[in-house]
Amino acid sequence: MAEMFILPKPTVRLLDAGAGVGSLTAAAVAQLAARPDAEQPSSIEASAYELDETIVPDLSRTLSDCAAVCAAAGIEFSADLQVGDFVKLAAEQLEGGLFARPARHFNAAILNPPYRKINSASDHRLALRAVGVETSNLYAAFLALVVKLLDDGGELVAITPRSFCNGPYFRPFRELFLDAMALRRIHVFDSRSDAFGDDDVLQENVIIHAVKGAAPGPVVVTSNCAPGDEWTLRREVPFEEVVQPGDAERFIHIVPDVVGAQVAACLSACRLSLPEIDVEVSTGRVVDFRAKEHLRAEPDPQSVPLIYPAHFAGGRVAWPNARTRKPNAIVRCEATESLLVPRADYVLVKRFSSKEERRRIVAAVYGKAEHAAPVVGFENHLNVFHRKGAGLPLDFARGLAAFLNSTLVDLFFRQFNGHTQVNATDLRTMRYPSAAKLAALGRKIGEAPLDQEAVDALVEQELIEMSRKAGPDPVGAKRKIEQALEILKALGLPKGQLNERSALTLLASLNVAPRGSWMKCDAPLLGITPMMDFMAKHYGKTYAPNTRETVRRQTVHQFVQAGLLVENPDDPSRPINNPKWCYQVAPAALDLLRTFGTTAWEHQLAGYLASVQTLKDKYARARAMTRIPVTLPDGGEIKLSAGGQNP
Ligand SMILES: C[S@@+](CC[C@H](N)C(=O)[O-])C[C@H]1O[C@@H](n2cnc3c(N)ncnc32)[C@H](O)[C@@H]1O
């Protein structure tokens, strides 16, 4: 994180809010002290705020260590340790009350703020409101206060949940932040990290680097799987791609690869807002715990359908559902009348999807032809698309549901939404095809349930600009990566190889492009660099050059051990470090993988798995035969690979 700072300042006034034991301050100080003399500051003034008194002795020791590091580097150092509540202390300073310390201004801040909801009536909320900060989460409050405490030109580096990038609750914060700060770098951890997840809600984390008062400019977007993982995607994007001009919500889109950019290009024909297609979206009116006495497990003559996400079945609503523990019905009476809507065709979208769900947006049509009740209740865990409270034309509803269920829309949605919640605001911010196009799509979709591939094919056929820019096919790329992961799992590769890097390595080794077929895959002889070139060309994934060794050590090596790849089949005696060192998919694996997706796959897989140990032994013997036995002075023997020149 600390290396994101530019900080060409002679005096660095560094703020660490929620400092814990002071690891971030220490990292920043170490980074500044390690710079060449000409780029070092002459002094560092560190301010650390920490609420938890039990950590303070450790924090104090860290600050003393920082002083020692600075002394050794010839940098003046002073520390100001504030034990107390940063929100209150900072708000008091900013407000400049009678007894407040004068506001200290900083030109650098590094933080990993606490993450917690702030109640609307809490002291924190009032203190924040007094200095013009409106937010319901503590981490955004910390960021907002830090923004206010920074001087113009001051730099912020922070690791936080990604949730501030979208959603209605963070809008005032986004406004405050984006008006004051120019984003320079965003790093996203691609893994479905649960670092912030004590519940089952997916929460991605980001590191941001931003400069106060600077003009918006290109943003470097990077991503990797987890802290410490060297496999990094990197892309520089114009600011207008990160925060789209004219977006009143100011969502922050994070697109670290070219395929992601291609998603937006594919959807460029879909430009209309919901009002422009005469549609509204609202959350379901029935909040079940408030209507407890009116809920019924089973329908009866006094009740009408109550629809939950549990009723979704392949793009439709299957009601009643005998297997759900949720009520199936709600009594129709005076108390519930305002919660019910007339029988009609609606599109419903789950507000919360589970981490395991393949898509974030899961839509279904509630069709009046299938449900005879005169009114229906939609539970609050649903978003409901309607037309001024009434239903939608059926073809249009089917087309809209298919559009929302498409892989392309899912890919687009993930660019601005880093969690599993789908808010009505998210759906309002998206852009849609024309009503006529959606209806045409709906007519093609018809009644029969369709699998994902069929939905994607129809969406592409009906809605995607034929003139879309040439480049990798995002939907095909996503599907191929998922399939490659399925294969690696089926082959029993360990968790460390069940990731995008390994999936792409397999695809490159088999020469399978996003629109390619497994049946026609082949087994070229490839070195690591050509594999990475393939990933960039066909899958739009450009990795930082230093990730080459990660591919070799953390994927290819394991593929060789698993018998999936063989080393130098053209010249098994090739010395290590020879620039022609290469890999090829083993013949038995190639035969197997050509059956993926066919009816022969399961059977062939069983046969392959039964024989793979024998194959691995065979390949290991072949490798061993090319090694040179060396007898050690103690009589022991080791085998060395043939030496070669370092290229
Ligand atoms: C996520 S931890 C980060 C610690 C440290 N910055 C790091 O990265 O290791 C957040 C820290 O903020 C502290 N904290 C929580 N609420 C605070 C508040 N209102 N004022 C100051 N510190 C607070 C916690 O005690 C905790 O040490």
Side-chain angles (χ1 to χ4, degrees):
M1 272 172 84
E3 65 266 24
M4 289 189 185
F5 279 129
I6 311 165
L7 285 178
K9 315 267 190 294
T11 297
V12 170
R13 280 171 280 117
L14 177 70
L15 167 64
D16 183 349
V21 297
S23 14
L24 294 183
T25 295
V29 167
Q31 210 276 335
L32 292 166
R35 289 183 176 185
D37 284 352
E39 292 166 30
Q40 266 181 8
S42 52
S43 66
I44 300 176
E45 298 168 14
S47 287
Y49 286 73
E50 176 53 54
L51 183 64
D52 182 349
E53 286 177 21
T54 62
I55 312 181
V56 169
D58 287 328
L59 175 54
S60 219
R61 261 189 298 278
T62 307
L63 294 172
S64 305
D65 292 345
C66 289
V69 168
C70 285
I75 301 172
E76 263 180 53
F77 181 82
S78 63
D80 173 29
L81 201 172
Q82 293 284 321
V83 183
D85 183 335
F86 174 69
V87 174
K88 289 188 186 150
L89 292 170
E92 273 168 21
Q93 287 181 33
L94 287 164
E95 226 187 344
L98 199 54
F99 302 109
R101 283 166 35 124
R104 288 203 60 186
H105 283 270
F106 300 92
N107 55 21
I110 189 158
L111 63 158
N112 173 10
Y115 172 62
R116 198 173 58 237
K117 286 231 155 49
I118 308 176
N119 287 336
S120 49
S122 66
D123 290 351
H124 274 157
R125 200 64 178 261
L126 298 178
L128 289 163
R129 199 161 287 156
V131 291
V133 174
E134 226 19 276
T135 181
S136 56
N137 205 303
L138 199 52
Y139 83 85
F142 267 58
L143 285 178
L145 292 168
V146 168
V147 165
K148 286 178 178 276
L149 289 170
L150 278 174
D151 287 339
D152 266 357
E155 294 178 41
L156 164 74
V157 173
I159 179 164
T160 72
R162 185 180 164 173
S163 49
F164 73 89
C165 294
N166 71 307
Y169 304 123
F170 289 98
R171 181 182 165 166
F173 168 73
R174 281 193 299 277
E175 256 166 28
L176 180 151
F177 187 86
L178 293 169
D179 284 348
M181 306 291 293
L183 274 170
R184 289 287 183 254
R185 169 123 184 234
I186 307 177
H187 181 87
V188 58
F189 295 104
D190 224 7
S191 71
R192 307 296 167 234
S193 160
D194 47 13
F196 291 87
D198 32 22
D199 46 12
D200 200 33
V201 176
L202 170 128
Q203 181 63 265
E204 287 174 359
N205 306 321
V206 289
I207 299 177
I208 48 173
H209 172 225
V211 182
K212 186 162 173 182
V219 183
V220 173
V221 183
T222 51
S223 84
N224 68 355
C225 290
D229 183 89
E230 291 161 20
W231 173 251
T232 313
L233 272 172
R234 187 181 193 284
R235 195 168 158 256
E236 191 171 296
V237 285
F239 181 71
E240 297 68 38
E241 253 185 55
V242 179
V243 182
Q244 294 174 352
D247 174 9
E249 290 292 329
R250 313 218 21 212
F251 280 7
I252 299 173
H253 297 243
I254 306 181
V255 186
D257 56 38
V258 179
V259 191
Q262 191 67 9
V263 170
C266 289
L267 288 173
S268 58
C270 308
R271 292 200 192 97
L272 302 178
S273 63
L274 282 180
E276 284 171 308
I277 55 172
D278 201 10
V279 172
E280 287 154 58
V281 61
S282 320
T283 45
R285 289 184 197 165
V286 181
V287 179
D288 55 5
F289 61 86
R290 291 201 195 124
K292 252 186 194 148
E293 72 268 34
H294 304 297
L295 307 184
R296 298 288 176 267
E298 301 300 330
D300 61 26
Q302 280 73 48
S303 66
V304 294
L306 175 59
I307 308 302
Y308 279 87
H311 292 106
F312 280 36
R316 295 167 57 232
V317 169
W319 181 92
N321 178 350
R323 287 201 306 269
T324 179
R325 277 179 294 160
K326 300 283 181 197
N328 272 294
I330 181 165
V331 172
R332 185 178 187 186
C333 59
E334 211 182 317
T336 60
E337 202 58 42
S338 63
L339 305 177
L340 307 175
V341 294
R343 175 181 176 226
D345 298 315
Y346 299 95
V347 172
L348 312 176
V349 168
K350 292 187 187 180
R351 286 182 61 203
F352 302 88
S353 53
S354 72
K355 269 191 206 177
E356 289 69 36
E357 210 129 29
R358 284 178 75 185
R359 276 182 287 109
R360 298 272 176 85
I361 301 187
V362 182
V365 174
Y366 179 87
K368 65 172 185 269
E370 296 160 286
H371 306 285
V375 289
V376 53
F378 294 127
E379 200 273 334
N380 192 249
H381 284 77
L382 295 171
N383 293 298
V384 184
F385 285 87
H386 55 92
R387 195 161 270 172
K388 295 186 183 68
L392 307 167
L394 181 58
D395 286 337
F396 173 86
R398 284 183 178 149
L400 178 59
F403 173 71
L404 292 166
N405 279 332
S406 69
T407 302
L408 209 50
V409 167
D410 183 64
L411 288 169
F412 185 71
F413 189 74
R414 284 167 195 263
Q415 296 178 354
F416 64 82
N417 184 318
H419 48 80
T420 44
Q421 269 180 48
V422 180
N423 297 305
T425 319
D426 295 331
L427 296 169
R428 281 185 207 117
T429 309
M430 290 194 9
R431 288 294 169 264
Y432 296 79
S434 69
K437 281 197 165 183
L438 285 172
L441 173 65
R443 279 191 287 280
K444 290 252 164 84
I445 294 281
E447 273 175 36
L450 294 178
D451 65 17
Q452 189 66 52
E453 252 175 83
V455 169
D456 288 338
L458 281 174
V459 166
E460 177 161 350
Q461 195 183 315
E462 291 295 311
L463 302 179
I464 306 310
E465 288 264 278
M466 288 324 286
S467 61
R468 76 160 188 235
K469 293 181 199 116
D473 160 30
V475 175
K478 179 171 189 258
R479 187 167 305 129
K480 281 291 178 326
I481 291 170
E482 282 173 1
Q483 290 171 343
L485 283 171
E486 197 183 320
I487 289 172
L488 294 175
K489 211 167 173 186
L491 295 180
L493 275 124
K495 210 167 159 225
Q497 281 65 51
L498 298 181
N499 49 31
E500 188 168 278
R501 173 187 65 235
S502 304
L504 288 166
T505 305
L506 180 68
L507 290 161
S509 308
L510 292 162
N511 196 18
V512 174
R515 287 182 189 271
S517 99
W518 293 102
M519 243 186 289
K520 293 190 187 141
C521 65
D522 60 57
L525 289 166
L526 285 181
I528 307 281
T529 305
M531 286 183 195
M532 291 179 69
D533 292 345
F534 181 94
M535 299 173 196
K537 180 172 172 206
H538 296 283
Y539 287 85
K541 308 271 181 185
T542 306
Y543 292 94
N546 60 354
T547 53
R548 202 169 153 267
E549 272 313 298
T550 314
V551 182
R552 186 194 304 284
R553 282 188 278 107
Q554 291 176 25
T555 291
V556 169
H557 175 73
Q558 288 76 2
F559 280 10
V560 171
Q561 298 301 313
L564 189 55
L565 291 181
V566 278
E567 288 168 330
N568 302 307
D570 56 332
D571 177 6
S573 64
R574 186 169 283 141
I576 266 176
N577 292 338
N578 183 309
K580 290 195 180 142
W581 189 279
C582 64
Y583 304 88
Q584 186 177 40
V585 174
L590 181 64
D591 288 344
L592 167 71
L593 296 176
R594 283 184 172 154
T595 68
F596 181 74
T598 70
T599 48
W601 166 250
E602 293 291 338
H603 177 70
Q604 296 277 9
L605 176 67
Y608 176 86
L609 291 176
S611 65
V612 72
Q613 191 51 45
T614 326
L615 289 169
K616 279 197 290 195
D617 293 344
K618 191 176 120 193
Y619 301 138
R621 270 199 305 278
R623 277 200 303 275
M625 277 171 64
T626 68
R627 303 234 166 106
I628 304 156
V630 175
T631 308
L632 299 174
D634 65 1
E637 193 183 87
I638 55 166
K639 288 187 173 164
L640 297 180
S641 310
Q645 269 118 358
N646 282 326

